[in-house]
Amino acid sequence: METTSVSTRSLQVATPTTHRPFRTAAVLGAGTMGAQIAAHLANAGLNVHLLDIAGDDDPNSVVTKSFKQTRKASPDPFVNDEAAERITLGNFDDHFERIAEADWVIEAVVERMDIKRSIHERVEEHAASDAVISTNTSGLPINEIAHGRSDAFKQRFLGTHFFNPPRYLELLELIPTADTDADLVERVAQFGRVHLGKSIVVANDVPYFIGNRVGVYGQLQAIRYFTEGDYTIEEIDTLTGKLVGRPKSATFRTADLVGLDVLLDVTENLYDKVENDEQREAFHAPDLLQKLVDAGKLGQKTRAGFYTKDDGEIKSVDPDSLEYTSAAEQDLGDLGAIKKAGDLTARLQALWNDDGRAGHFFRETTLDLLAYSANRIGEITDNPADVDRAIRWGFGWEMGPFEMWDALGMQRVRDALAERDRTLPDWIDPLANRDDAAFYRTDGGAQHVYRPSDTTYIDDPAPSDELPLASIKTDDERTLWENDEAALLDMGDGVALFEFRSKANALGQQVMRGLHEAITRVEDTPELRGLVIGNEGKNFSVGANLGEMAESALQGDFQAIGAYIKQFQQTIQKVRYATKPVVVATHQKVLGGGCEMAMACPQPVASLETYIGLVELGVGLIPAGTGTMRMAAWADQRAASDHPSDIQAILRGYFETIAMAEVAESAHQAIDNGILPEHTTIVMHDKRRLHVAKQQVIAKSEQGYLPPPTLDRIKVLGEPGRAAFDVALHQYKEGGYISEYDQFLAHKLAYVMTGGDLTAPQEVDEQYLLDLEVEVFLSLLGEEKTQARVEHILKHNKPLRN
């Protein structure tokens, strides 16, 4: 077996500035993976040459068709239109010499050894002598692809395995050969992590590496409980989805998303190549999979696979007739009690103890996966943690196999496997016989993992530019202040962190009072440089706590609501005008009040995957936490002149963004939409976000921080400007694009953005517009249709159009 001496953990903690970043790339092969890899390289700011075979009539027809399909793909592979413009198309016949311009050449052609070898023969002829060269493959042997190439070529050659879709899935497997230069692996890993936002696992050069070898095995074994057992497709997806800490697409929906033809191809290749695998027969594809592929039922891309949507109903395939039938009632016992058991560890233990069909399925499939994973150590990797990372990052599981083993208990699992005569590797015995038997342990806040080759625990630290909050929160001395829904934590180096802890990170009264208190404490504490506002929740924040306001509205206590909105505004203004730097660090959904907080921040930091917008009109309200005021102020600031027509042109775009409840699909798009300022720091790897925000605070403090000046002269357009919006709204209403109530709400929004009852353009201050926000917000909350919208979103988590 060929292995490499490169240390995986050194790649995890390397300093981001060590190696020279790539600036130009060439991607050879414009299929689904090649085109999307090119897209994500362009997202990172690289200029990319995307090449494919020449067409018969138009030499660029193949690459052009693929690129157009990529532009229409959902979810969008590109962060904005500007990224797409950084890609130059070409073909192998006319433009292959362009790869000489590339710092990194990535071959991503069809998974055939002969074709890949022939491409790399040409690459060696044309690539720059210092270019990094990689083959993107999900499982072909890397050393065989490099066969016949020179020693110099082999030293700068390695395998990459991006998971699909490359923009969104976290895992990037790197597969060096015995000839690959270790510094080159470091360079690619560093660039992949910092600039592409990938988490890196270095795998041995064995069939299908780490992620697919273990993940596909588990998926196929679950499928067999349908094809050879007595569980339905729906039951298996219930038992392999969110209940056990996996994506809601579970087993069969995931197969449909990947493509059944792709899954079949992977299983056939695996069966051919893993001749010494004790579970080789598990990679024999189920007959049903072959039948569906033969019938052209390939999953989502053909709108039929294991599932199809028929007249709005999701149906699953009958294995005999290949027709689709309605879901039968599931016979899995009391899953409600298991869901209520607690966190993921508690749910897994509850499932293990269940004596019904749900427990049987969970025990058998889990034990099978854990035994298989243990037997792969020494072959696919020496480190159990790398298996867990690959499965978590590549397949979206909350726990990898060895983490699940720890959660269930070392001896319990070992005894159950012995009862089933499942063979475990010899290295398990020395571990299981220890008093503290577990794959992971924590000592002094540091994590260690058991590595069989050393028969001892090794350090398994998080990368140096990650700040996992768990390690901070377990240290009582680093909690500076807290209430039931928020806390102020010491990040070190004189920087504090304000963390939301409310349900869905909603911005209720306790959170906002806490934030006001936190900023005051930071301002009054000489030892503190500034504050980061951020968290590690699923989303940064879904906005204000509508439930609190709805309850007060039902009681008719609009005075309390008014006081809350004013407090909300004051707190958001304090974020902007604090005397020490405050950095808002966003990720995932940033809606309503969360968006207003980011808009107010003078120097925001945003994860690339920040989906941000002012969505209040969807629940019959307007942004009233400074968002409407700020948009009006920005229109005045960003207009070409102070002439009303120039202001109107900018204001129209902001008005439409709010009126349509538009949510940006990336941090770059948020900048394009005017929601985030152009100087926003965008972090490609979300786990680096809090670290970068902390460094931002330190840098601003070192520079000598002063808050931005207050806006005392905002030019608003008054009734003449609002009239133009009303005309457009009338046309939208007559055209059937918006409802009568939508028109009413948008008119109220325009009323605030143009300055209320002013009869002509006039300069006002921030507080004038903030007061209008509160006035209109309260009036709308008293409307029956708004109350119906609020009630519907709280009950169904979907907007109501009435």
Side-chain angles (χ1 to χ4, degrees):
M1 180 190 306
E2 291 188 329
T3 58
T4 175
S5 61
V6 175
S7 167
T8 306
R9 300 314 301 156
S10 69
L11 296 176
Q12 295 287 322
V13 299
T15 305
T17 55
T18 302
H19 293 282
R20 176 169 53 91
F22 302 111
R23 299 300 301 132
T24 303
V27 178
L28 310 180
T32 299
M33 280 304 296
Q36 293 214 27
I37 290 170
H40 197 52
L41 292 169
N43 291 339
L46 275 70
N47 294 316
V48 183
H49 294 282
L50 178 61
L51 310 180
D52 209 321
I53 59 173
D56 294 332
D57 298 322
D58 175 4
N60 270 9
S61 60
V62 174
V63 70
T64 299
K65 180 181 179 181
S66 178
F67 184 71
K68 287 180 178 178
Q69 291 173 338
T70 303
R71 294 261 35 210
K72 296 177 182 178
S74 180
D76 196 341
F78 291 98
V79 295
N80 60 3
D81 292 339
E82 183 182 339
E85 293 170 0
R86 284 193 283 271
I87 294 182
T88 303
L89 306 182
N91 65 81
F92 291 165
D93 288 356
D94 301 322
H95 307 116
F96 205 89
E97 69 278 0
R98 288 183 187 167
I99 71 170
E101 303 173 22
D103 304 313
W104 185 7
V105 179
I106 303 176
E107 168 269 303
V109 300
V110 65
E111 294 276 83
R112 277 183 48 183
M113 183 64 70
D114 58 336
I115 294 177
K116 286 182 178 287
R117 281 181 176 173
S118 67
I119 289 292
H120 284 289
E121 184 176 1
R122 296 185 66 186
V123 169
E124 184 168 17
E125 179 183 350
H126 291 281
S129 60
D130 60 347
V132 172
I133 301 165
S134 68
T135 175
N136 192 74
T137 174
S138 59
L140 293 181
I142 308 305
N143 65 89
E144 292 184 23
I145 295 173
H147 179 74
R149 305 277 56 80
S150 67
D151 291 344
F153 179 95
K154 291 178 181 179
Q155 288 175 4
R156 56 195 178 113
F157 179 73
L158 76 163
T160 58
H161 180 204
F162 286 87
F163 276 61
N164 192 25
R167 171 183 164 186
Y168 298 95
L169 284 187
E170 186 177 350
L171 178 62
L172 171 58
E173 289 181 315
L174 300 183
I175 311 96
T177 71
D179 298 311
T180 308
D181 181 82
D183 284 342
L184 180 139
V185 181
E186 290 269 7
R187 182 184 179 192
V188 176
Q190 196 174 90
F191 185 86
R193 187 167 182 280
V194 174
H195 297 280
L196 299 180
K198 298 297 153 198
S199 291
I200 309 299
V201 169
V202 176
N204 291 338
D205 189 7
V206 295
Y208 286 81
F209 318 129
I210 300 175
N212 276 349
R213 184 72 173 277
V214 175
V216 171
Y217 175 86
Q219 185 179 23
L220 288 172
Q221 294 299 72
I223 288 173
R224 284 195 170 83
Y225 275 78
F226 170 63
T227 59
E228 301 174 12
D230 63 350
Y231 289 80
T232 68
I233 284 177
E234 290 80 6
E235 286 176 333
I236 293 171
D237 271 357
T238 295
L239 295 173
T240 57
K242 295 177 75 68
L243 180 68
V244 291
R246 303 178 195 175
K248 63 181 180 180
S249 56
T251 296
F252 292 96
R253 293 184 196 279
T254 295
D256 279 352
L257 288 169
V258 170
L260 303 193
D261 53 338
V262 175
L263 180 59
L264 179 62
D265 186 55
V266 169
T267 60
E268 290 176 341
N269 282 331
L270 269 167
Y271 184 82
D272 288 342
K273 296 192 177 295
V274 292
E275 296 179 359
N276 298 321
D277 191 318
E278 78 283 353
Q279 294 293 318
R280 183 189 185 199
E281 291 304 314
F283 294 110
H284 237 324
D287 291 342
L288 176 59
L289 185 59
Q290 184 69 63
K291 290 178 182 178
L292 287 169
V293 172
D294 291 344
K297 297 180 177 183
L298 308 181
Q300 181 172 279
K301 55 190 168 187
T302 60
R303 299 186 179 180
F306 286 114
Y307 288 104
T308 194
K309 192 171 186 178
D310 182 11
D311 196 23
E313 180 186 1
I314 303 297
K315 297 181 178 180
S316 57
V317 72
D318 180 281
D320 298 319
S321 67
L322 298 191
E323 298 298 321
Y324 292 89
T325 60
S326 299
E329 184 176 351
Q330 296 186 25
D331 178 23
L332 297 176
D334 185 11
L335 292 186
I338 292 172
K339 292 176 182 177
K340 295 176 182 177
D343 62 9
L344 179 55
T345 294
R347 297 199 305 273
L348 297 181
Q349 292 175 348
L351 265 173
W352 179 279
N353 294 327
D354 179 76
D355 58 6
R357 294 177 73 247
H360 173 78
F361 177 90
F362 174 74
R363 285 188 298 275
E364 299 309 313
T365 55
T366 300
L367 287 168
D368 187 38
L369 178 67
L370 301 189
Y372 187 75
S373 300
N375 280 298
R376 301 283 70 75
I377 299 301
E379 178 193 357
I380 60 178
T381 179
D382 292 332
N383 190 349
D386 279 339
V387 176
D388 287 340
R389 282 188 275 263
I391 295 300
R392 282 192 283 107
W393 296 339
F395 290 81
W397 294 20
E398 291 181 37
M399 286 186 184
F402 296 103
E403 291 164 322
M404 291 175 63
W405 196 325
D406 277 356
L408 294 170
M410 173 65 70
Q411 201 57 48
R412 173 194 283 183
V413 170
R414 188 172 175 232
D415 290 346
L417 287 169
E419 290 173 6
R420 290 157 177 80
D421 293 325
R422 285 300 298 268
T423 302
L424 288 174
D426 293 340
W427 64 263
I428 287 288
D429 288 337
L431 171 62
N433 291 331
R434 297 173 65 107
D435 293 335
D436 56 350
F439 293 98
Y440 295 92
R441 70 182 186 189
T442 302
D443 183 14
Q447 179 170 279
H448 307 273
V449 62
Y450 186 83
R451 190 163 68 180
S453 59
D454 299 322
T455 64
T456 188
Y457 289 87
I458 61 170
D459 289 345
D460 190 50
S464 58
D465 55 355
E466 289 183 15
L467 289 169
L469 296 188
S471 62
I472 297 177
K473 289 187 283 190
T474 54
D475 185 347
D476 292 339
E477 293 184 2
R478 300 183 73 173
T479 299
L480 307 177
W481 169 92
E482 65 182 336
N483 65 21
D484 291 340
E485 295 192 344
L488 184 65
L489 306 172
D490 180 6
M491 298 177 79
D493 300 315
V495 180
L497 171 75
F498 183 79
E499 180 198 18
F500 311 150
R501 296 177 177 175
S502 55
K503 184 177 180 180
N505 284 339
L507 305 177
Q509 295 187 51
Q510 280 204 71
V511 171
M512 298 310 287
R513 279 199 295 265
L515 178 55
H516 198 283
E517 167 73 10
I519 295 175
T520 300
R521 282 175 176 254
V522 170
E523 289 179 313
D524 292 344
T525 304
E527 294 79 15
L528 292 176
R529 297 171 177 266
L531 178 70
V532 172
I533 301 174
N535 58 74
E536 292 180 328
K538 180 180 178 182
N539 300 302
F540 176 79
S541 176
V542 297
N545 191 325
L546 281 176
E548 284 184 352
M549 285 187 284
E551 186 176 347
S552 295
L554 287 174
Q555 296 172 357
D557 194 355
F558 287 89
Q559 184 175 355
I561 298 173
Y564 165 59
I565 297 302
K566 289 179 180 178
Q567 177 209 36
F568 197 105
Q569 290 179 337
Q570 291 167 3
T571 302
I572 298 297
Q573 289 289 78
K574 197 167 180 65
V575 168
R576 182 166 187 79
Y577 296 119
T579 56
K580 292 182 180 179
V582 174
V583 174
V584 177
T586 63
H587 70 290
Q588 293 296 312
K589 291 182 181 178
V590 188
L591 306 178
C595 176
E596 289 171 308
M597 188 181 295
M599 290 168 62
C601 178
Q603 51 277 318
V605 168
S607 170
L608 176 72
E609 304 305 334
T610 288
Y611 313 125
I612 185 170
L614 298 170
V615 297
E616 285 84 351
L617 261 71
V619 291
L621 298 165
I622 68 162
T626 77
T628 307
M629 174 276 290
R630 207 161 311 281
M631 286 290 201
W634 284 350
D636 178 33
Q637 290 178 326
R638 297 170 182 177
S641 73
D642 63 356
H643 193 277
S645 63
D646 286 334
I647 297 174
Q648 182 96 32
I650 303 297
L651 188 65
R652 183 186 303 115
Y654 293 152
F655 171 79
E656 291 174 352
T657 295
I658 302 176
M660 296 172 66
E662 186 173 335
V663 177
E665 296 181 354
S666 71
H668 286 284
Q669 195 177 94
I671 293 172
D672 295 342
N673 292 350
I675 292 176
L676 291 177
E678 290 187 0
H679 63 265
T680 299
T681 299
I682 297 177
V683 182
M684 297 294 284
H685 200 305
D686 182 66
K687 290 187 176 70
R688 300 185 64 243
R689 171 176 41 91
L690 296 180
H691 167 80
V692 172
K694 175 184 174 183
Q695 300 308 311
Q696 185 91 286
V697 169
I698 293 172
K700 293 294 180 182
S701 175
E702 288 292 322
Q703 291 169 10
Y705 182 73
L706 286 175
T710 57
L711 301 177
D712 298 323
R713 301 175 64 182
I714 304 168
K715 190 167 187 178
V716 293
L717 303 179
E719 291 180 0
R722 185 161 63 255
F725 290 125
D726 285 340
V727 169
L729 290 171
H730 177 74
Q731 292 172 343
Y732 275 114
K733 168 64 174 59
E734 292 301 305
Y737 298 106
I738 60 175
S739 69
E740 183 177 345
Y741 197 60
D742 289 330
Q743 180 184 11
F744 171 75
L745 292 170
H747 169 79
K748 289 292 188 179
L749 173 66
Y751 177 82
V752 177
M753 297 186 83
T754 56
D757 292 326
L758 300 177
T759 58
Q762 186 174 323
E763 289 182 343
V764 299
D765 61 15
E766 290 180 324
Q767 192 58 50
Y768 175 87
L769 292 175
L770 293 178
D771 290 342
L772 281 180
E773 282 187 356
V774 176
E775 174 191 321
V776 170
F777 187 93
L778 291 176
S779 71
L780 291 175
L781 200 55
E783 297 280 347
E784 288 186 6
K785 288 188 175 181
T786 287
Q787 292 173 2
R789 288 191 176 195
V790 171
E791 182 181 5
H792 192 272
I793 198 78
L794 290 173
K795 280 186 176 180
H796 306 288
N797 199 29
K798 293 181 180 178
L800 170 68
R801 293 298 180 191
N802 55 359

